[in-house]
Amino acid sequence: MEAIRLREAGRRDYRDPVPFLRRLRFIEHRLLVEPVNAEVRSLRTNRLKEWREARIGALFCHGMSERTGRKVFLSKGEFEDADFVGMWFDGDVQNFAPVQIKELVPEERNARVTLDALVKGLSVYSGRKDLTVLIHLNRRIHFKPESLVLPPQLPIAALWVLACTDPTHSEWAIWGNFLEQVEGTRFAYPT
């Protein structure tokens, strides 16, 4: 990370994603019994976009914490070309990962979008080599990590895939880094 960008990332507010996810789950359960518009319930309005991205960011950071055994903190909100920033410590060294979210939306929102098209679109990035891309699989599909075909020379730092693996949204999985050795990790939504 270049010095100015690193300094700016260091000034952001980082929080443990687990309490945020727990509070959000409480709200989600309350909304199930309330007469709330489906767009609001799924955080699909423009006013709720920041919270939709914060939820995905928190799930990613929590999943990475489970995967690595190190606490990964979340700074919600846009940061230049990223939707959120993850931060963790390796000993005394503070590390930052600006993350851009791409979403494979539910078929009822846009059935024409495919995972392959999302991945191919990553080759147009001409930005920073420190950017991590997270693809949120928000559609019922059978995902085979080994079948994901990447364009050559992707100009990003890392590529991860996040998906819910059960209908109650209690179990999740994260796969990656697709630019290195791909491994999957399953984790539970915090209770």
Side-chain angles (χ1 to χ4, degrees):
M1 228 179 195
E2 64 187 56
I4 294 172
R5 189 164 156 97
L6 187 60
R7 226 178 3 259
E8 289 300 315
R11 290 185 183 134
R12 293 175 61 95
D13 180 34
Y14 293 90
R15 299 193 180 213
D16 183 341
V18 171
F20 170 74
L21 289 169
R22 286 181 181 144
R23 284 191 309 272
L24 191 58
R25 179 54 58 103
F26 175 77
I27 293 168
E28 289 170 348
H29 284 145
R30 298 255 337 233
L31 289 177
L32 289 175
V33 297
E34 299 289 329
V36 176
N37 178 303
E39 296 288 301
V40 171
R41 184 176 286 123
S42 61
L43 304 175
R44 284 285 171 197
T45 67
N46 286 337
R47 289 189 358 244
L48 295 174
K49 178 182 182 226
E50 175 186 0
W51 296 104
R52 184 176 66 244
E53 291 175 348
R55 178 179 182 266
I56 297 305
L59 283 162
F60 177 73
C61 290
H62 175 60
M64 291 302 288
S65 295
E66 294 291 310
R67 180 185 180 99
T68 65
R70 285 187 201 104
K71 178 57 81 175
V72 179
F73 296 90
L74 169 72
S75 178
K76 74 175 188 64
E78 293 185 358
F79 175 71
E80 297 177 6
D81 51 355
D83 295 312
F84 69 92
V85 180
M87 185 276 293
W88 69 98
F89 287 96
D90 279 326
D92 293 338
V93 178
Q94 190 176 22
N95 297 280
F96 301 97
V99 181
Q100 172 72 48
I101 301 169
K102 299 293 181 190
E103 180 184 14
L104 182 61
V105 297
E107 285 187 344
E108 59 272 11
R109 292 201 72 77
N110 188 346
R112 294 178 307 218
V113 176
T114 66
L115 180 57
D116 288 337
L118 280 177
V119 172
K120 285 178 186 169
L122 299 178
S123 62
V124 302
Y125 278 88
S126 60
R128 306 179 188 280
K129 291 280 192 176
D130 64 358
L131 184 67
T132 293
V133 174
L134 171 63
I135 297 175
H136 172 214
L137 299 181
N138 194 7
R139 181 183 294 184
R140 290 182 184 199
I141 64 169
H142 182 71
F143 177 60
K144 295 180 186 176
E146 64 279 1
S147 67
L148 196 64
V149 178
L150 303 181
Q153 307 292 319
L154 277 178
I156 58 176
L159 176 62
W160 295 87
V161 172
L162 173 74
C164 181
T165 59
D166 83 325
T168 66
H169 292 214
S170 297
E171 297 294 324
W172 290 77
I174 188 169
W175 296 270
N177 172 3
F178 282 88
L179 302 185
E180 297 173 357
Q181 182 177 354
V182 179
E183 293 180 30
T185 301
R186 292 188 180 274
F187 63 95
Y189 193 104
T191 56

